[in-house]
Amino acid sequence: MSQDASGQISTVMQEERLFPPSTAFAKAAHIGSLEQYETLWKQAAEDSEGFWGKLAEEELHWFKPFTKILDWKAPLAQWFVDGKTNVSYNCLDVHLTSDRRDKTAILWEGEPGDKRSLSYAELHEQVCKFANVLREKGIGPGDVVSIYMPMVPELAIAMLACARVGAVHSVIFGGFSSEAIADRNNDASAKMQITADGGWRRGKELPLKATVDEALKKSPSVETCIVLRRTESAVEMKEGRDFWWDELMDSASTECPAAELDSEHPLFILYTSGSTGKPKGIKHTTAGYNLYTKVTSRWVFDLQEDDIYWCTADCGWITGHSYIVYGPLANGATIVMYEGAPNSPDEGRFWEIVERYGVTIFYTAPTAIRAFIKWGDDFVNRADLSSLRLLGTVGEGINPEAWMWYHRVIGGERCPIVDTWWQTETGGIMMSPLPGAIPTKPGSCTKPLPGISPEIVDEAGEAVEPGQGGWLVITRPWPGMLRGIWGDSKRYEEQYWSSVPGKYLCGDNARCDADGYYWIMGRIDDVLNVSGHRLSTIEIESALVSHPDVAEAAAVGRPDELKGEAIAVFVTLGNAEPDEATRNALKQHVRKEIGALAQPDDIHFTGSLPKTRSGKIMRRLLRDIASGKETVGDTSTLEDYSVLAKLRQDEES
Ligand code: WT7
C-alpha cells in the first residue's frame, strides 16, 4: 500500500480466484480464445478508424455510403460522415428477407401474468403503423417525443417508430414524478407525450396518465398526448390533445418507408442525474450508436441464433435502450421483456420466467443480485435454470461474494459471468469479459473491448504506476460515445473533457492489475481519504459483504480531526442481531480481510440503504448522515424517501 500524494488510490483488496471459460463454451463462441481477443484488440488499437469503418460497412445498411469514417475535433466527434441510414431499418427490415422474418423478436409477460409474443414481421408492422401515426400527428425529423410508459412491447414500438421517422425519443422511467417529467419535457422542448393509462407494479396500478396530466400542465411545448390502454382504468382525456393509441393505430397504414437519416442525426436523449440537480440530457446519434450497440451485444453476450436473451432492466435506463431494444434487435435476437417487480407475486418470479421461456442469457444488476441473496436460495431452487448459459451484471461494482453466489446458485457453476462496465454516456459496454475468451476474476470487469483504450491517470493527467488506482479515462473516441449534453455544450466540455485535456473523463476511479485486468473502485467523488491514504468504497464494502451476516454495505468518509476522514459504514444485516457484538465482529472481519487502515470507525445498522431508482447506492446522502449534516444536494432520483427519513431518525435516537 502506498502513501498518497498525487491523487493515486491505494488498493487493499486481494482477489486471486480465476475462472476460465469452459472448452465447450469457448469452442462455440464468436470470440473463442484469448489470442483471438488480443489480435482483435491490437488491430483496433493500431488502426482504429479502419477497424470501425470496416465494421460499419459490414454491419449496417446504408442508403448512402459514408465518405469519411471519423471527423474528430475534440471533444466533438462525427462518425461515418455523409452516410445515410436508419436504426429502425437496421433492427427490423434487414431481418424480413430471411428466416428471421417469422422468428420471435419479443416474448413479453405482464406482471398479472398476461403473455404476448411478436415475430420480427409483426414487430415491423406495428412499428410502421405507429410511425405513420407519429407522422400524421405532425412529428418529423428532429422533433422530440417524450415517452413515459410501463414495460410493454408498445414502449419498444414507440422507440423504434421514432427512430423510423427521425424523431428524437426521450424515455422517462415510469417511476419518476410529474415534476421530473415536466423538467425533462421542458429541457428538450418535447412536442409529443406518449404514455399509458397505467402499469402494474407489485400488484398495484401505477397511475401513469394521471401523473402525465400533472406534468403536461407545466410542459407547454407538448401538443399531443397518445395514451395506450394497459390497465383499462378510468383516465381523463383532454379533447384535442389526448388520443387513444388503439384508435389511431386502427386506421394507420402498414407501409412506412424508413427515413434516410444522416449518420449524426440525433436518435435519443436520455436524462441522467447530474450532481447539480439540473437534469442532464445525454445525446446519442444514429449510425455510431447503432453499430456500437450491435457489435458489443454480439461480442459480450455471444448472441447465437437460438438464444433467448433476457435483460431485466427497464427501457427507461440506457441498459434498456442499448441491450433490450437496439443491440439485440439489430442482431435478430429473441428478447424477453417483463413488466413488473421481481417479487410479485413472490420472490421466485424471475426464476419462473427463466424456466418458462428457456432463457439462455440473463443480464441484471448487482442491487437485484443482493436482493436475491437476501431472499434466500429456496426461491431459486424451485425453478429449473438449466437453460442458462451466460450471466451478466451492470450498474455498480459487484462484490466478489455476490459474484460467487451468482456463479454458484444461478449459474450452476457452468455459466460465465460478464461484469460489464459502461455508462449512459458511453452508449454501450466499454469493458467486459468476452465470455469465450477472457478468464474472469470476481469483482473485475476484466479488459477493454476491441476499439476501446482506457488509461488510469493521476490528477495531473499522467499515467499512474501499474497496479495503482486513479482516474479512469478513455483516450480515443469510439462510435457509441455521447455527442453532447442536450442544449449545454459548455457543460459537456467541462465535465468530460477538461480535467484531462483531450481524454474522456468518466468520473470513476479504477486500477489495472498485473494481468491487465481493470477493477472499478467507485465514483471519484466517493473516495475516502484516511490518514493520507485514499481508499475506494467498493473494497471496504466487499470486505463487509464477505461476512456471512452482511447482506449489503455502503462505506463513506466523515470528517475526523486526526485522520482527515474516518470510515463510516452502513450495513444491512441478514439474520444477525444489530448489537455491539456484531459491530465488533464486523470491525475485526474487515481488519483481518483488508487491514487495520480500512477498519470502520462507525457502523450504522439499517434496514435498507438509500438508492437511486435504478438501484445504485446513494453514498452522497449517507455521507451527510454520517457527518450529521443536512442534505442539501438533489434527492429527486431517490427511490424511496422513507429510507432517508428512517436513517435520520435512527441517528437522532
Ligand atoms: C456508472 C454509470 C451502464 C448502464 C447502467 C448505469 C457504475 C456501471 C459498472 C460495473 C462498476 C459500474 C459506474 C459508472 N457502473 N457498471 N460493471 N462495475 N461500476 O449507467 O447510470 O450512467 O451509471 O455506473 O460508476 O460510471 P449510469
Side-chain angles (χ1 to χ4, degrees):
M1 220 179 297
S2 77
Q3 187 72 24
D4 163 78
S6 58
Q8 299 190 355
I9 298 155
S10 312
T11 178
V12 287
M13 197 166 98
Q14 291 288 328
E15 177 56 65
E16 307 286 347
R17 289 168 288 200
L18 190 72
F19 295 84
S22 71
T23 324
F25 192 102
K27 215 167 147 196
H30 289 295
I31 300 176
S33 72
L34 198 54
E35 295 72 51
Q36 203 186 338
Y37 156 75
E38 278 166 354
T39 309
L40 210 58
W41 193 86
K42 268 200 207 94
Q43 241 174 33
E46 278 156 21
D47 176 18
S48 160
E49 290 188 27
F51 177 80
W52 291 118
K54 182 160 175 287
L55 279 173
E57 275 168 25
E58 291 167 357
E59 301 286 345
L60 301 183
H61 170 83
W62 294 97
F63 295 112
K64 175 171 173 277
F66 51 92
T67 55
K68 190 168 182 211
I69 296 164
L70 172 65
D71 183 355
W72 176 229
K73 294 191 187 76
L76 301 177
Q78 291 196 294
W79 283 91
F80 315 120
V81 184
D82 289 333
K84 288 204 188 294
T85 185
N86 183 291
V87 179
S88 120
Y89 190 96
N90 288 314
C91 288
L92 301 170
D93 304 52
V94 296
H95 305 310
L96 299 185
T97 50
S98 69
D99 289 351
R100 286 210 184 127
R101 188 184 170 82
D102 299 314
K103 180 178 174 177
T104 303
I106 301 181
L107 284 164
W108 175 82
E109 188 166 307
E111 196 185 77
D114 40 344
K115 299 174 183 69
R116 281 164 66 191
S117 96
L118 284 107
S119 68
Y120 271 93
E122 289 164 335
L123 181 61
H124 174 262
E125 186 176 298
Q126 292 295 307
V127 169
C128 286
K129 288 179 80 168
F130 196 66
N132 281 326
V133 168
L134 292 176
R135 280 188 175 141
E136 194 215 317
K137 290 287 169 208
I139 295 295
D143 290 333
V144 176
V145 174
S146 168
I147 302 179
Y148 183 73
M149 292 177 89
M151 277 290 285
V152 291
E154 283 76 9
L155 171 49
I157 291 166
M159 291 164 72
L160 289 159
C162 286
R164 197 161 189 89
V165 304
V168 183
H169 59 69
S170 162
V171 182
I172 301 170
F173 174 59
F176 276 118
S177 65
S178 59
E179 288 81 44
I181 303 171
D183 280 352
R184 287 157 177 73
N185 284 351
N186 288 324
D187 186 77
S189 307
K191 204 168 155 188
M192 176 186 273
Q193 180 77 60
I194 304 173
T195 189
D197 44 7
W200 295 110
R201 188 83 192 170
R202 241 168 249 123
K204 291 208 188 77
E205 186 184 347
L206 297 173
L208 300 176
K209 176 62 164 67
T211 308
V212 159
D213 286 340
E214 282 307 303
L216 293 191
K217 287 183 190 157
K218 289 172 268 169
S219 314
S221 58
V222 174
E223 295 163 7
T224 313
C225 176
I226 300 183
V227 187
L228 178 81
R229 277 184 236 266
R230 165 70 187 124
T231 54
E232 306 276 347
S233 59
V235 296
E236 273 176 42
M237 296 293 279
K238 190 170 166 186
E239 182 75 37
R241 184 194 72 185
D242 299 350
F243 302 88
W244 289 109
W245 175 293
D246 51 305
E247 289 173 10
L248 297 174
M249 287 290 265
D250 274 349
S251 55
S253 153
T254 56
E255 290 291 310
C256 183
E260 302 186 4
L261 300 169
D262 198 85
S263 290
E264 286 297 337
H265 186 80
L267 176 66
F268 65 84
I269 315 170
L270 186 58
Y271 286 88
T272 71
S273 56
S275 47
T276 62
K278 185 181 182 298
K280 186 167 71 169
I282 304 297
K283 177 172 112 176
H284 283 285
T285 60
T286 296
Y289 175 84
N290 197 173
L291 176 67
Y292 196 70
T293 51
K294 181 178 181 190
V295 298
T296 53
S297 297
R298 192 166 66 225
W299 292 338
V300 173
F301 300 111
D302 186 47
L303 285 173
Q304 306 285 345
E305 204 53 53
D306 55 355
D307 272 316
I308 307 289
Y309 167 92
W310 184 21
C311 166
T312 69
D314 190 283
C315 285
W317 314 121
I318 190 70
T319 310
H321 285 59
S322 302
Y323 298 111
I324 295 178
V325 180
Y326 293 117
L329 295 182
N331 285 289
T334 298
I335 63 170
V336 171
M337 205 173 165
Y338 168 58
E339 176 188 34
N343 52 353
S344 183
D346 72 19
E347 285 75 2
R349 184 63 181 268
F350 273 16
W351 318 120
E352 271 171 38
I353 294 176
V354 169
E355 175 176 323
R356 180 152 43 247
Y357 300 101
V359 171
T360 58
I361 305 171
F362 180 75
Y363 189 33
T364 196
T367 182
I369 296 170
R370 295 187 303 255
F372 305 148
I373 298 174
K374 203 152 73 177
W375 293 336
D377 297 7
D378 288 352
F379 289 108
V380 184
N381 295 334
R382 230 164 53 185
D384 175 5
L385 302 186
S386 59
S387 58
L388 289 172
R389 68 180 196 93
L390 177 63
L391 305 176
T393 88
V394 61
E396 288 178 290
I398 177 163
N399 309 120
E401 290 321 308
W403 194 104
M404 290 304 298
W405 181 90
Y406 198 30
H407 167 73
R408 193 166 42 80
V409 180
I410 306 300
E413 299 185 352
R414 82 187 167 272
C415 304
I417 296 179
V418 290
D419 174 351
T420 63
W421 176 82
W422 58 296
Q423 309 176 293
T424 303
E425 291 88 338
T426 68
I429 298 167
M430 301 291 276
M431 295 203 269
S432 166
L434 298 185
I438 302 180
T440 51
K441 300 184 187 186
S444 167
C445 59
T446 75
K447 298 183 178 244
L449 297 189
I452 301 305
S453 335
E455 200 172 83
I456 315 269
V457 302
D458 60 21
E459 283 164 20
E462 302 292 332
V464 302
E465 295 288 313
Q468 279 299 317
W471 289 350
L472 174 61
V473 296
I474 308 294
T475 64
R476 255 197 299 248
W478 65 101
M481 67 190 275
L482 76 165
R483 299 301 198 272
I485 295 175
W486 196 260
D488 200 343
S489 50
K490 207 166 130 241
R491 190 171 175 195
Y492 169 64
E493 178 148 11
E494 276 171 12
Q495 181 157 0
Y496 302 106
W497 300 94
S498 61
S499 304
V500 186
K503 294 178 183 174
Y504 171 78
L505 181 81
C506 68
D508 286 344
N509 285 311
R511 75 186 157 92
C512 181
D513 71 16
D515 301 327
Y517 278 55
Y518 286 82
W519 301 78
I520 304 295
M521 302 175 92
R523 299 296 294 167
I524 291 173
D525 296 342
D526 289 340
V527 163
L528 287 78
N529 196 330
V530 182
S531 309
H533 295 275
R534 288 158 58 94
L535 298 177
S536 102
T537 48
I538 183 100
E539 295 190 347
I540 301 167
E541 292 160 5
S542 292
L544 284 160
V545 170
S546 75
H547 191 282
D549 292 341
V550 175
E552 244 178 354
V556 298
R558 70 153 167 80
D560 180 89
E561 277 187 17
L562 248 104
K563 299 201 271 187
E565 275 187 327
I567 302 175
V569 300
F570 292 78
V571 170
T572 305
L573 292 171
N575 290 321
E577 285 303 313
D579 56 17
E580 246 356 80
T582 308
R583 237 184 220 114
N584 287 331
L586 294 184
K587 284 187 186 176
Q588 287 311 315
H589 179 75
V590 174
R591 191 188 184 94
K592 181 173 97 321
E593 289 290 307
I594 56 177
L597 178 68
Q599 178 180 311
D601 297 277
D602 316 337
I603 297 188
H604 307 254
F605 294 116
T606 172
S608 22
L609 295 169
K611 293 186 184 169
T612 62
R613 285 160 215 262
S614 60
K616 282 191 218 297
I617 298 170
M618 290 180 85
R619 295 183 186 75
R620 177 166 60 79
L621 302 181
L622 293 173
R623 212 153 44 222
D624 294 342
I625 291 172
S627 56
K629 278 198 313 221
E630 283 297 308
T631 300
V632 286
D634 176 33
T635 53
S636 67
T637 55
L638 191 62
E639 188 209 6
D640 180 355
Y641 287 91
S642 70
V643 173
L644 196 62
K646 178 89 183 27
L647 276 164
R648 289 214 174 276
Q649 219 171 42
D650 292 350
E651 286 312 294
E652 281 157 20
S653 63

